[in-house]
Amino acid sequence: MLRPTPFDLATGTLLGVDEPPPRRLVPAGVPDPLGALDAAVLPGLTRPPCVVSFSGGLDSSLILAVAARAARREGLPDPVPVTWRFAEAPRADESDWQQRVITALGLGGSWQILRAADDLDLVGPVARRLLHRHGVVHPVNLHLHLPIAELATGGTLLTGAGGDQILAGWRRPPAASLRARLWWLRHAARTRQGPAESFPWLRAEVAREAHRAHRAEQRAEPRRLRQRIAWHTRRRDLRTTCSALAALAAEHRATAIQPLLDEGFLAALALRFGDHRGIGRDWLLAEMARGALPAEVTAPRRKARFLEVFFRTPTREFVSSWDGSGADEGLVDPEALREIWSHWPIPGGTASLVQQLWLAANPPDSAGRPERSEIDMEVTP
């Protein structure tokens, strides 16, 4: 498993881009992107249970729809969608779209819903199992997939990893009018932050380094889709995420598949849309589907926000009682961090530090820990 460095943990970033691999020739007869995605999910369907981490967002809806279509065509068992529902987290609520997509695909009989309150907190009961087993990993919310990987034991786990980068990208599509462009320019000027505002818990020189590197990486994302695909697949952030998902699945004798990062799918996507610039996910999915999937799968929707799922009571209790010990003082200013953590909510950029410092204060012991997650789960009729 690839691991974050002390600098990554302190800054809450995972920056850097690997060197490009040797250039490959695109083979003749590359299918359309939807056909290539179909081929990417098919190996997982032949190794059931084929569990799909299904949030109701666009990426997981696309993967679930393609997997369901392929399974029925090939006479294989349906994929098993597994969904989290979160208590007291309204900005993370996607239940309406979840229900719409499941109904449109006819998968209600296999749908499994997991329910969480404080269970998925950064240092809640599920995260603690992962922290004691592996230490701090990337991404900080990897533990969300631990109960899902358990349900995939002996089979396959499909996730939508890579969708935010490959399909959406970071750059906002060009504004449609001069007025809109001016609004965004003014908004960017108002919200721009310097090192001290972006990373107030770091030593000054470390904050400057992190700020420079973060801005440079954001500006480096190519505008043309073909180059965007090649660039994102080389980023440490995405490569480390995929490594962690693979290791998590392997612990449960399962195989993790990231269909949106499949080489065949990426080649087909680049061949069909690679010369387009500044395109967003909504347009791209609509063009890919072209009526081949139910409208509910690719319909535009609000992007869910999950901070309130992971920053809950266990985290609040820990940061309010933290005594300042355990931090790497060459990178982190403990007094500044204590001051920041004395107010709630705390910055999302300190999530890795929450886990690192909690683990330092609560190291693994020989006490027995549950082998599986004790999560409230229901199977829809």
Side-chain angles (χ1 to χ4, degrees):
M1 184 193 302
L2 299 177
R3 293 188 169 277
T5 67
F7 182 86
D8 300 330
L9 297 178
T11 61
T13 64
L14 203 76
L15 304 172
V17 182
D18 293 342
E19 291 297 319
R23 188 170 184 178
R24 300 177 182 176
L25 295 175
V26 177
V30 172
D32 67 278
L34 205 60
L37 199 59
D38 185 295
V41 303
L42 192 55
L45 292 165
T46 64
R47 188 184 177 187
C50 180
V51 170
V52 179
S53 179
F54 172 63
S55 67
L58 284 168
D59 301 332
S60 64
S61 296
L62 174 65
I63 291 167
L64 182 62
V66 171
R69 188 178 70 160
R72 289 161 185 171
R73 184 191 66 240
E74 301 294 331
L76 297 168
D78 275 344
V80 180
V82 180
T83 299
W84 279 106
R85 293 277 176 86
F86 311 109
E88 299 176 8
R91 284 175 290 186
D93 180 24
E94 297 179 280
S95 56
D96 181 53
W97 279 108
Q98 292 162 4
Q99 187 64 60
R100 289 193 204 184
V101 172
I102 291 292
T103 300
L105 298 178
L107 290 172
S110 61
W111 189 18
Q112 301 198 33
I113 299 175
L114 309 178
R115 299 191 180 275
D118 287 347
D119 308 79
L120 295 180
D121 180 87
L122 289 172
V123 292
V126 180
R128 292 175 188 180
R129 292 179 53 219
L130 203 64
L131 289 168
H132 280 150
R133 190 179 304 167
H134 295 292
V136 184
V137 296
H138 178 83
V140 293
N141 63 355
L142 179 69
H143 58 281
L144 175 147
H145 277 99
L146 177 55
I148 302 177
E150 291 169 349
L151 293 172
T153 296
T156 310
L157 171 63
L158 304 186
T159 83
D164 285 340
Q165 296 84 0
I166 302 300
L167 301 180
W170 294 341
R171 295 184 185 274
R172 183 175 296 274
S177 67
L178 175 60
R179 181 178 182 181
R181 286 196 292 272
L182 290 173
W183 187 91
W184 279 111
L185 287 172
R186 289 193 294 268
H187 175 74
R190 287 196 306 269
T191 57
R192 184 175 295 125
Q193 294 183 325
E197 294 79 23
S198 299
F199 303 97
W201 61 91
L202 298 178
R203 298 294 183 188
E205 63 278 11
V206 180
R208 286 192 292 271
E209 180 184 352
H211 187 259
R212 276 195 304 269
H214 187 252
R215 283 181 57 81
E217 192 154 315
Q218 286 189 316
R219 291 194 297 265
E221 185 192 56
R223 293 185 182 275
R224 200 178 298 273
L225 180 62
R226 180 177 289 105
Q227 284 75 33
R228 184 169 94 193
I229 291 170
W231 185 77
H232 272 298
T233 54
R234 291 164 30 222
R235 292 183 57 246
R236 287 181 61 233
D237 179 6
L238 199 52
R239 294 170 72 88
T240 305
T241 297
C242 292
S243 169
L245 286 167
L248 187 64
E251 283 192 340
H252 299 88
R253 296 178 288 106
T255 299
I257 298 178
Q258 323 307 335
L260 298 180
L261 296 172
D262 175 79
E263 286 191 4
F265 170 67
L266 295 178
L269 196 65
L271 192 64
R272 175 68 179 83
F273 303 109
D275 291 331
H276 289 269
R277 295 168 59 91
I279 57 176
R281 179 163 28 201
D282 292 350
W283 181 89
L284 198 53
L285 293 188
E287 288 296 309
M288 281 173 50
R290 285 282 183 168
L293 301 174
E296 292 83 355
V297 172
T298 58
R301 63 204 67 175
R302 173 188 63 86
K303 181 73 173 173
R305 296 289 181 263
F306 294 96
L307 282 181
E308 56 196 7
V309 172
F310 304 113
F311 290 77
R312 298 178 69 105
T313 301
T315 290
R316 189 168 189 169
E317 290 177 348
F318 171 70
V319 300
S320 66
S321 63
W322 180 57
D323 63 5
S325 64
D328 183 339
E329 296 192 21
L331 300 170
V332 176
D333 181 340
E335 289 306 313
L337 184 59
R338 287 189 71 188
E339 169 59 25
I340 290 165
W341 279 358
S342 68
H343 307 283
W344 190 263
I346 62 174
T350 63
S352 294
L353 283 171
V354 171
Q355 292 185 333
Q356 182 187 42
L357 297 173
W358 180 90
L359 187 58
N362 300 272
D365 56 34
S366 58
R369 292 188 295 274
E371 292 299 315
R372 293 180 67 87
S373 302
E374 297 179 1
I375 298 292
D376 181 20
M377 179 173 67
E378 67 181 68
V379 180
T380 60

